[in-house]
Amino acid sequence: MTRSFYITTPIYYVNDVPHLGHAYTTIAADALARYHRARERDTYFLTGTDEHGQKIEEAATARGKTPQALADDVVERFRDTWRVLAVSEDDFIRTTEARHKRVVADMWNRLEAAGDIYLGRYDGWYCVSCEAYYAAGNLEDGDRCPVHKRPAAWVSEPSYYFRMSRYEQALLRHFEENPTFVQPESYRNEIVSFIKGGLRDLSVSRTTFGWGVPVPGTDDHVIYVWIDALTNYISALGDIGSEKYERYWPATCHLIGKDILRFHAVYWPCMLMSAGLPLPDTIYTHGWWTVRGEKMSKSMPATRVDPNLVAGDISADALRYFLLREVPLGLDGDFTYEALIGRYNADLANDLGNLLNRTLTMTVKFLGGDLPAARAELADSEPHAGMRRVAVDAVKEAGDAFEAYAPSRALEAIWRLVREANRYVDTAQPWKLAKDPDRRAELEHTTHGFLEALYWAARMVAPVMPVKAAEILAQLGLGEDAAARAMARWPDASLAGKDLPAGLTVTKPTPLFPRIDDARAAELLERWVPEDAKAEP
Ligand code: ME8
């Protein structure tokens, strides 16, 4: 039996409402989970929220709320956004849940039992926005955090330490023996040189605020929020050793942004080694989106992109497609609404939308909507054989790309099929075939060919565009159950020419991606760019 596929997103802090960056990671993880489900792997997809720590406590105080009340409000914003964006998580973990806190305490006890916890003092810098300790030499202008450019706080308090230094060599060995532990390779190299620089013991408890999981056996220490947060990947499965834990741990992939690589690729594996637990297969690090060349920031309204608003106007699937197609998963990208609309018109309205429209229209017009069968005697002649070759290649290439965490490459392969199908229609000219009763077999064979291409394209884009894929299948005449079954299986290339279900009847198409003309684009920009950003010079 192939091993299960367990994929996670970071758990997001509840001091901020979901934005484009959160949506990106979650959509990418969702597409990968959906793909692996279609390969009939035992898939588990986890997301959730990170609700403890000083940052959340301070954000709650600033809003005159308790941290729990803040978390309870904001968690709904995340859940709602994931519904809007068609995210199909199997579980949503909150770090304030009892099931989580229990496993965090267990993890702590395991580190302690391994002799890896000792009491000391932390006298040093701490950036609350990063929830991270900083050595003075790593700050800028004396006291500024290099990530947030805001002053770090000087902290001086008793603290428990985790003997991370003890795992330096074992961790380096793990990287050597598992070349794909951190991907892409540039991030792997970065983290390996960081480890080679030497691992120091890590301060893992705080005493100057209270919003966290208590250190077992103490009443004044709370566990460092990253120790708490990372444990979510296990606590969501249940207690260590539980049935779900045995079924899904170790995770196949922690998908994360590059901002939190060190926590995942150094702290987490050291913790797991200390606790005697297996390490995840892969930490896949994606790049960073800027908006119009600027870092996303709450204080810069022009960089606030609300995924709910965009999805509401042009469909969640269009946003999902753009984010996964525009930039390869490991690279940085710049988001502009103009690029989004440009790609929507070119790839979705023109290529895919047009293929659906013209092929269904012709099927209705020339064959009364009845889906014809392929003709064996024509299969090996051109342009039919060429169409089939491209389709077969696309199934393989798109599959390989999804396996390799490369959804943008998968979409490129699928688009080669979509574009070839449009070309096939142009070359085969069904409107001419329809005029000649002697060419009926050719007409039927061609129609079957482009409809099967559409059928496969729909099933292959389903991980990225689950709603539109279902709509395409419905317009192809598949009932709801049949469409769901088709989307639950990746196309089998060996069935080319005989995969399209027989006996379906298509009706006149409804446009899936209505073109955004200049007037509509102006209207959308007006809605999407926040009021306060418009006032900026
Ligand atoms: O770090 N581009 O939570 P967080 C791409 N709670 N991705 C982005 C992004 C951007 N501009 N901005 C944010 C935390 N992200 C911790 C995680 S996990 C055990 C604890 C995404 O709310 C990206 O995935 O700050 C990044 O890693 C994550 O949001 C950070 O979310």
Side-chain angles (χ1 to χ4, degrees):
M1 217 184 92
T2 45
R3 210 167 83 64
S4 57
F5 183 82
Y6 175 29
I7 185 164
T8 65
T9 73
I11 47 171
Y12 304 111
Y13 287 127
V14 288
N15 68 322
D16 198 0
V17 294
H19 58 57
L20 187 74
H22 306 129
Y24 180 56
T25 318
T26 310
I27 287 169
D30 184 63
L32 292 166
R34 286 177 183 271
Y35 166 78
H36 284 277
R37 286 188 200 119
R39 298 316 295 250
E40 293 162 84
R41 298 198 179 109
D42 181 13
T43 299
Y44 204 70
F45 168 29
L46 175 69
T47 190
T49 41
D50 191 352
E51 305 187 354
H52 287 137
Q54 191 173 1
K55 163 148 123 173
I56 306 305
E57 190 178 86
E58 287 180 5
T61 308
R63 290 168 178 75
K65 287 183 172 181
T66 64
Q68 188 66 57
L70 173 68
D72 290 347
D73 285 349
V74 176
V75 74
E76 295 310 324
R77 303 286 292 272
F78 277 94
R79 288 191 204 276
D80 290 349
T81 303
W82 303 154
R83 294 295 66 78
V84 168
L85 297 181
V87 172
S88 65
E89 78 275 11
D90 294 297
D91 198 357
F92 187 110
I93 182 96
R94 302 181 57 183
T95 55
T96 50
E97 287 171 324
R99 61 170 174 156
H100 171 73
K101 292 191 267 190
R102 196 171 62 230
V103 180
V104 173
D106 181 25
M107 185 64 91
W108 181 279
N109 290 333
R110 283 166 185 259
L111 306 192
E112 190 164 42
D116 288 336
I117 297 284
Y118 62 91
L119 186 60
R121 274 192 75 75
Y122 181 74
D123 296 290
W125 297 99
Y126 191 82
C127 170
V128 177
S129 297
C130 299
E131 294 282 18
Y133 302 93
Y134 276 96
N138 295 334
L139 295 174
E140 293 174 355
D141 301 331
D143 67 349
R144 285 178 192 271
C145 146
V147 178
H148 296 91
K149 315 285 178 201
R150 279 205 295 257
W154 180 260
V155 170
S156 187
E157 61 188 18
S159 174
Y160 284 97
Y161 276 80
F162 168 51
R163 254 185 245 285
M164 200 157 71
S165 55
R166 194 188 237 186
Y167 295 95
E168 184 182 305
Q169 290 311 313
L171 185 57
L172 283 173
R173 219 173 312 122
H174 187 80
F175 272 89
E176 254 160 50
E177 288 164 6
N178 300 274
T180 54
F181 182 51
V182 167
Q183 297 184 57
E185 208 181 338
S186 54
Y187 289 111
R188 172 185 190 273
N189 297 339
E190 181 186 308
I191 211 76
V192 167
S193 35
F194 172 79
I195 302 164
K196 284 186 174 157
L199 290 188
R200 297 218 305 227
D201 291 351
L202 179 69
S203 161
V204 286
S205 76
R206 302 285 315 270
T207 48
T208 40
F209 70 92
W211 182 236
V213 180
V215 168
T218 72
D219 49 20
D220 51 350
H221 287 258
V222 294
I223 296 178
Y224 175 38
V225 65
W226 271 100
I227 302 288
D228 169 345
L230 288 160
T231 303
N232 91 86
Y233 300 132
I234 287 181
S235 69
L237 300 175
D239 290 320
I240 293 167
S242 67
E243 191 234 314
K244 235 189 215 165
Y245 170 89
E246 294 297 342
R247 183 164 161 194
Y248 294 115
W249 191 259
T252 318
C253 176
H254 294 316
L255 183 65
I256 58 164
K258 63 179 182 180
D259 54 325
I260 55 178
L261 177 58
R262 185 176 305 175
F263 303 99
H264 283 79
V266 180
Y267 298 5
W268 181 227
C270 288
M271 282 168 65
L272 289 167
M273 284 192 272
S274 170
L277 303 174
L279 311 196
D281 294 352
T282 290
I283 295 155
Y284 199 97
T285 312
H286 68 63
W288 209 242
W289 284 95
T290 49
V291 175
R292 297 188 175 285
E294 304 279 351
K295 190 173 173 345
M296 276 181 224
S297 142
K298 274 193 250 184
S299 55
M300 289 259 295
T303 65
R304 284 204 313 255
V305 174
D306 179 357
N308 292 285
L309 191 60
V310 174
D313 284 332
I314 62 165
S315 79
D317 281 11
L319 178 64
R320 291 171 61 107
Y321 173 79
F322 176 77
L323 291 176
L324 296 187
R325 174 68 186 76
E326 183 75 358
V327 178
L329 199 55
L331 301 184
D332 295 340
D334 187 46
F335 181 93
T336 66
Y337 291 123
E338 289 78 1
L340 171 67
I341 292 173
R343 224 176 233 296
Y344 174 101
N345 279 335
D347 299 2
L348 300 178
N350 280 4
D351 292 339
L352 183 58
N354 192 28
L355 179 66
L356 175 77
N357 263 353
R358 63 200 300 223
T359 55
L360 293 198
T361 304
M362 286 186 290
T363 311
V364 171
K365 195 160 161 203
F366 305 140
L367 294 168
D370 292 333
L371 242 91
R375 298 296 185 107
E377 70 277 15
L378 290 171
D380 294 326
S381 62
E382 298 300 338
H384 318 294
M387 175 73 254
R388 196 185 55 217
R389 273 194 305 274
V390 172
V392 165
D393 287 350
V395 169
K396 163 132 186 42
E397 286 164 16
D400 289 349
F402 274 123
E403 300 286 338
Y405 299 101
S408 66
R409 202 145 50 75
L411 290 168
E412 278 168 31
I414 299 164
W415 252 251
R416 279 197 288 280
L417 168 61
V418 170
R419 295 198 179 113
E420 181 60 25
N422 272 321
R423 249 193 315 271
Y424 176 55
V425 174
D426 296 339
T427 323
Q429 300 186 308
W431 48 92
K432 278 198 185 150
L433 302 176
K435 285 196 188 126
D436 185 348
D438 292 343
R439 302 184 78 183
R440 174 79 183 188
E442 263 180 274
L443 173 66
E444 291 186 0
H445 187 74
T446 305
T447 307
H448 180 276
F450 55 61
L451 290 180
E452 191 170 84
L454 183 63
Y455 177 58
W456 278 10
R459 289 166 61 198
M460 289 194 286
V461 297
V464 176
M465 297 199 281
V467 179
K468 296 295 180 183
E471 284 173 22
I472 295 176
L473 295 172
Q475 294 199 33
L476 272 172
L478 279 85
E480 216 172 294
D481 288 351
R485 274 199 307 277
M487 289 190 356
R489 266 182 312 113
W490 189 251
D492 175 350
S494 71
L495 298 178
K498 42 185 182 296
D499 198 27
L500 193 61
L504 298 179
T505 306
V506 308
T507 47
K508 262 180 58 138
T510 321
L512 274 193
F513 302 103
R515 211 185 148 68
I516 302 175
D517 61 18
D518 290 349
R520 173 73 177 145
E523 207 180 292
L524 289 174
L525 286 176
E526 183 65 26
R527 280 168 55 70
W528 292 346
V529 179
E531 274 311 309
D532 37 0
K534 285 186 203 133
E536 282 178 8

